[in-house]
Amino acid sequence: MSAYASLTVHFGRISAMSNAIGILQWDSDTMMPKGAAASRAESLALLRVMQHEMAVDPRLSDWLEAAGEDATLGTWERANLREMRRVFTAQTALPADLVEASSKAISACEMAWRQARADADFPALLPTLAEVLRLQREAGVAKGEKLGLSAYDALLNDYEPGGRSEKIDALFDDLAAFLPGFTQEALAAQARRPTPAPLAGPFAIEAQRGLGQRMMTALGYDFDRGRLDVSTHPFCGGADNDVRITTRYDEADFSKALMGVIHETGHALYEQGRPAAFMSQPVGQARGMVLHESQSLLMEMQACRSPEFLGFAAPLMREAFKASGPDWEADSLWRRYTRVERGFIRVDADEVTYPAHVILRYRLEKALIADAMPLAELPAAWNAGMQELLGTTPPNDRLGCLQDIHWPSGGWGYFPTYTLGAIAAAQLFDAACRAKPDALPGIARGDFAPLVAWLRTHVHGQGALLDTDELLTRATGHPLDAGVFKAHLARRYLAS
């Protein structure tokens, strides 16, 4: 067996282990009884240590060196080899005891977060979150020393290979300067239009679930390779060819669950569309979380808040909730789904204010990883940042620094990918609509096939073959920049 073939077998086994971990983690977040938390934490920690041991197998170094001399490898195989090296380099920076300790700390912190969030009690979370932060900082330092990066950039690199805070700082500083004034303009333009009346609930959860499944089908989600469930924080997870999504329901407002389902379906379409021939290999994985978030936000914000989509969705909403009247017409629903408000909750934010939520979290997590701010000061720093960026202060920590699971679950370095993804989403949707003139008319009919086919070719099916900027340049004509995103916001929100 050649060195490259040995590598593919080995990384296929690592992928199988990831699949097992993914399903166990999904169960932990959806159906696992509280009493199983301790034993589940032990199981996940053991599997993650075993996976880590596989990823740092000393044979890999020799195989990687020998495969690098193999002149028979094609473009995809060479890219796969590059991604194998990247994984091996990052994993060999971490000792097994740190992987185990981090997994156990995350499991404990996630359980503590659920209760602390419900109780709006940050001090109750502080001890377990401090341990997660300590271990994440340690991991960032270890990886950074191996990769020649800062601790934060080393953590970011796990979610967005090649991503650097220097570039993000420039983009986010530009947006932070742009957004307050633009938000005022958008609110002023909105005030000149009729204000949509609140839709009268309650909206039965079963009806919401049925509507969500109908939308998932329209978008192209394959229910033979996934399912829809409920969790405290919506997510897309599972395993290869078993891509599961979750949402959360509010009987007073069906739009939260519906848009959550659409958002997570965008992620799922990416996972279900990865290149089948390399599904278990590093090159067959999603490029990174910037492109992953671009797919969820492209569906949720670009496509499914468009007038075309609301024209298709309005009758389905009326049917689902047995509703009628002018408030349920497409134009009124469009005004509702594009309403700008200074709110507290990131996942419920409109696309104008959403970047401010992300910029806040990015700045805070950078400071915490750099040990430039005590963790105990997080609630106060959060509230001050909300006031500066959004002009509002959360009344409690449940609506403030406790709202997201990312930090308790070890997702340090993830947050900036949301807004970088929004920028990429605007570029990709614009390019898709120019390349496929039937994309928007198709959405108006509930036919997402033209749009999804373009995404399959230019994003999903590319796996990790290209880096983010190269993929965007090939698909849209230029690398990541905020110009198309700003132009999109102006078209949608400044029209009177």
Side-chain angles (χ1 to χ4, degrees):
M1 186 182 293
S2 71
Y4 178 77
S6 297
L7 286 167
T8 62
V9 170
H10 193 83
F11 276 89
R13 290 171 178 161
I14 294 174
S15 176
M17 184 70 78
S18 293
N19 289 338
I21 291 170
I23 295 300
L24 279 177
Q25 187 63 59
W26 167 86
D27 180 73
S28 298
D29 293 332
T30 56
M31 297 182 178
M32 184 188 74
K34 288 183 179 179
S39 59
R40 179 60 54 82
E42 290 287 341
S43 297
L44 282 168
L46 174 60
L47 289 175
R48 285 174 176 138
V49 168
M50 293 171 64
Q51 183 186 42
H52 175 71
E53 289 171 348
M54 294 169 71
V56 299
D57 188 316
R59 294 176 298 173
L60 291 176
S61 181
D62 292 337
W63 288 341
L64 287 167
E65 183 177 356
E69 303 299 320
D70 189 342
T72 68
L73 299 183
T75 301
W76 277 87
E77 287 76 18
R78 292 214 163 272
N80 197 29
L81 191 60
R82 179 200 69 214
E83 291 302 298
M84 290 171 174
R85 287 196 190 99
R86 183 178 64 80
V87 172
F88 180 68
T89 300
Q91 290 298 313
T92 52
L94 299 180
D97 59 349
L98 176 57
V99 174
E100 181 177 14
S102 182
S103 179
K104 290 180 177 179
I106 285 167
S107 293
C109 194
E110 285 180 339
M111 294 304 293
W113 168 77
R114 291 185 179 93
Q115 191 61 52
R117 180 181 179 275
D119 297 339
D121 186 359
F122 180 77
L125 182 66
L126 186 55
T128 55
L129 185 60
E131 180 66 0
V132 169
L133 172 58
R134 183 184 71 80
L135 294 167
Q136 287 291 307
R137 189 183 291 131
E138 188 176 333
V141 169
K143 290 180 180 180
E145 288 176 352
K146 188 102 175 191
L147 298 170
L149 301 172
S150 69
Y152 184 82
D153 279 357
L155 295 173
L156 170 67
N157 196 64
D158 286 343
Y159 300 106
E160 181 55 27
R164 298 294 179 263
S165 54
E166 182 180 10
K167 181 176 180 180
I168 297 171
D169 286 342
L171 280 167
F172 282 9
D173 287 349
D174 175 59
L175 282 177
F178 163 80
L179 286 170
F182 183 86
T183 302
Q184 277 297 119
E185 290 183 69
L187 288 168
Q190 180 174 277
R192 295 191 289 269
R193 299 190 291 267
T195 301
L199 296 176
F203 303 101
I205 289 175
E206 278 308 305
Q208 293 190 51
R209 180 179 174 84
L211 179 63
Q213 289 174 323
R214 198 163 179 179
M215 293 303 176
M216 291 167 69
T217 299
L219 267 61
Y221 181 86
D222 181 358
F223 276 98
D224 287 337
R225 295 190 292 149
R227 53 184 287 143
L228 171 65
D229 292 281
V230 177
S231 66
T232 304
H233 191 100
F235 70 94
C236 172
D240 295 343
N241 294 312
D242 186 2
V243 183
R244 307 180 181 197
I245 73 171
T246 70
T247 193
R248 58 188 179 204
Y249 297 104
D250 180 350
E251 289 191 322
D253 182 1
F254 71 87
S255 66
K256 294 179 181 179
L258 178 60
M259 285 302 169
V261 163
I262 291 170
H263 179 99
E264 300 305 334
T265 299
H267 282 304
L269 291 173
Y270 193 175
E271 288 297 310
Q272 292 184 338
R274 292 191 287 115
F278 292 92
M279 185 70 74
S280 67
Q281 296 298 306
V283 76
Q285 305 304 306
R287 167 66 278 169
M289 291 315 302
V290 169
L291 287 174
H292 231 311
E293 293 301 340
S294 82
Q295 297 309 283
S296 59
L297 292 170
L298 186 151
M299 288 300 178
E300 180 196 1
M301 295 296 186
Q302 297 286 326
C304 293
R305 294 181 194 263
S306 66
E308 289 81 4
F309 174 77
L310 271 304
F312 155 69
L316 300 184
M317 293 178 185
R318 293 194 294 268
E319 177 186 339
F321 302 114
K322 299 178 174 57
S324 62
D327 293 336
W328 289 88
E329 294 301 320
D331 181 65
S332 180
L333 289 169
W334 181 81
R335 283 185 280 114
R336 180 182 314 285
Y337 278 89
T338 56
R339 188 159 183 79
V340 178
E341 294 180 301
R342 292 188 173 96
F344 303 124
I345 304 299
R346 175 187 62 83
V347 297
D348 296 334
D350 56 83
E351 63 181 333
V352 173
T353 61
Y354 190 100
H357 290 269
V358 171
I359 292 168
L360 168 65
R361 288 155 174 77
Y362 167 69
R363 289 173 173 175
L364 290 173
E365 70 178 10
K366 258 210 330 176
L368 288 165
I369 290 295
D371 205 11
M373 182 183 82
L375 183 59
E377 294 180 6
L378 177 61
W382 182 288
N383 292 348
M386 284 289 289
Q387 187 61 47
E388 175 190 351
L389 290 166
L390 281 160
T392 187
T393 302
N396 58 59
D397 290 339
R398 181 174 60 81
L399 299 176
C401 64
L402 290 174
Q403 64 184 267
D404 296 305
I405 196 174
H406 300 60
W407 292 335
S409 67
W412 297 77
Y414 188 115
F415 274 121
T417 66
Y418 283 118
T419 286
L420 299 176
I423 294 169
Q427 289 180 218
L428 289 165
F429 190 68
D430 175 72
C433 290
R434 285 188 283 108
K436 293 277 189 180
D438 53 343
L440 274 174
I443 290 171
R445 301 188 304 272
D447 178 10
F448 281 75
L451 173 61
V452 173
W454 189 89
L455 293 172
R456 286 278 192 259
T457 298
H458 295 279
V459 182
H460 308 167
Q462 295 293 314
L465 179 65
L466 310 171
D467 68 30
T468 299
D469 272 347
E470 187 177 0
L471 183 147
L472 286 172
T473 299
R474 290 191 185 186
T476 74
H478 52 92
L480 189 72
D481 77 60
V484 177
F485 178 62
K486 289 180 180 178
H488 159 72
L489 294 181
R491 284 194 304 273
R492 178 171 283 181
Y493 295 98
L494 298 188
S496 298

